[in-house]
Amino acid sequence: MINTIVVATDGSEAAMRAVEYSSQLAKKFNAKIEIISVIQYSTVAYHDGSQIFYASMTDSLTKLVSDNLSKAASVVEPTGVPFDTHIFKGDARFVLVNEVIENYNPDLIVMGKTGTTVLTRMFIGSTARYVSERADTNVLLVK
């Protein structure tokens, strides 16, 4: 049985297809959707280990994530499926595998199969791959 679906969005086309798919699934199973987006701030580290964030960058990233959540909510809302939106901060891979599962105990995580650049996937691997290999719940990747 599926009661809670987490759908992760980064605003990409694949992520929006995942939002649409999760809406259809939630409607069939009478489930709730938790829409998640993650802000990954860039930092500058000093020799003493302290870090700073660039205010203008954090403001624009926060706005981008808020816009992504609004866009996803506009897809889910007309279906009548109950949902909430959430912003997390950190590396999306670790947030989804750890914090999101701990906070929402989802029966399923739905996410787009791609969303990062080819260069990012080469060096750190895709978020979708990481989550699908390490999450302690079912993961559905949408093309």
Side-chain angles (χ1 to χ4, degrees):
M1 189 60 149
I2 297 175
N3 295 309
T4 304
I5 299 171
V6 163
V7 61
T9 182
D10 62 2
S12 66
E13 289 180 26
M16 292 311 296
R17 287 191 296 272
V19 170
E20 290 172 17
Y21 198 90
S22 67
S23 298
Q24 296 167 13
L25 219 62
K27 197 156 183 82
K28 286 182 183 180
F29 286 97
N30 199 26
K32 180 178 182 183
I33 297 177
E34 304 290 350
I35 307 171
I36 307 295
S37 197
V38 181
I39 301 170
Q40 185 166 330
Y41 293 125
S42 297
T43 62
V44 174
Y46 289 102
H47 61 85
D48 65 357
S50 63
Q51 296 179 342
I52 62 166
F53 298 100
Y54 291 103
S56 62
M57 191 180 304
T58 59
D59 291 346
S60 64
L61 288 171
T62 301
K63 183 180 178 346
L64 176 65
V65 166
S66 294
D67 291 349
N68 290 342
L69 287 174
S70 294
K71 192 168 133 183
S74 72
V75 171
V76 177
E77 194 167 27
T79 68
V81 169
F83 72 93
D84 282 317
T85 61
H86 309 278
I87 295 176
F88 284 84
K89 297 174 186 168
D91 186 309
R93 296 169 300 164
F94 307 132
V95 167
L96 286 164
V97 168
N98 299 313
E99 291 179 63
V100 166
I101 290 176
E102 183 179 312
N103 289 341
Y104 306 108
N105 194 27
D107 302 296
L108 181 65
I109 296 175
V110 180
M111 56 193 307
K113 186 175 177 186
T114 59
T116 58
T117 65
V118 173
L119 186 62
T120 305
R121 284 195 302 267
M122 277 178 22
F123 288 110
I124 62 171
S126 76
T127 300
R129 181 175 179 164
Y130 185 91
V131 173
S132 68
E133 290 175 352
R134 290 175 177 81
D136 287 334
T137 193
N138 294 312
V139 178
L140 174 64
L141 302 180
V142 178
K143 280 189 164 191

